[in-house]
Amino acid sequence: MQKRAMEVAAVSHNHPEGIKGAVVTSTCIWMARHDKSRQEIYEYVLEQYPVKDYKYSIGYSLDEMRPRYKWDVSCQGSVPAAMRCFYESTDYESFIRNI
């Protein structure tokens, strides 16, 4: 699954971080569809985007992120932040409101 995500993303993303973001996103979807817990998904994303290396790591709460977050079109600037919105949500509406 991850290999296929890399192959598909390479066509449009053309950057290692872009491909990584596509793989992380597809892996999270796969995990959710295979009954992995929010915590397991969180831990996976945190491994991929650790706090020490990423400005918008999933390791930062939304309250910590909001004052300094600026829209970032890159995968490293949007994927972990979006996954944090998911992690702190309780349903689809709260996810959208977290954004």
Side-chain angles (χ1 to χ4, degrees):
M1 183 265 314
Q2 289 182 329
K3 182 178 180 205
R4 185 70 176 142
M6 288 174 65
E7 292 168 352
V8 171
V11 175
S12 60
H13 287 64
N14 195 26
H15 188 278
E17 284 289 340
I19 294 168
K20 177 181 179 177
V23 170
V24 169
T25 300
S26 64
T27 301
C28 289
I29 293 166
W30 183 91
M31 292 174 77
R33 292 185 58 129
H34 288 86
D35 298 321
K36 300 298 181 186
S37 69
R38 280 178 193 269
Q39 189 61 36
E40 289 172 303
I41 295 169
Y42 170 87
E43 289 169 7
Y44 166 72
V45 177
L46 185 59
E47 286 175 13
Q48 303 305 308
Y49 296 104
V51 170
K52 68 180 180 63
D53 298 329
Y54 290 90
K55 184 177 180 180
Y56 302 124
S57 169
I58 194 174
Y60 295 111
S61 71
L62 290 177
D63 286 341
E64 292 173 305
M65 218 181 286
R66 279 190 183 109
R68 59 188 172 79
Y69 188 82
K70 292 190 178 8
W71 170 244
D72 187 334
V73 70
S74 72
C75 284
Q76 64 266 36
S78 59
V79 171
M83 293 310 301
R84 186 64 195 211
C85 290
F86 160 76
Y87 184 70
E88 290 191 28
S89 70
T90 56
D91 55 25
Y92 181 75
E93 183 179 346
S94 68
F95 167 77
I96 296 298
R97 289 182 185 277
N98 280 342
I99 295 173

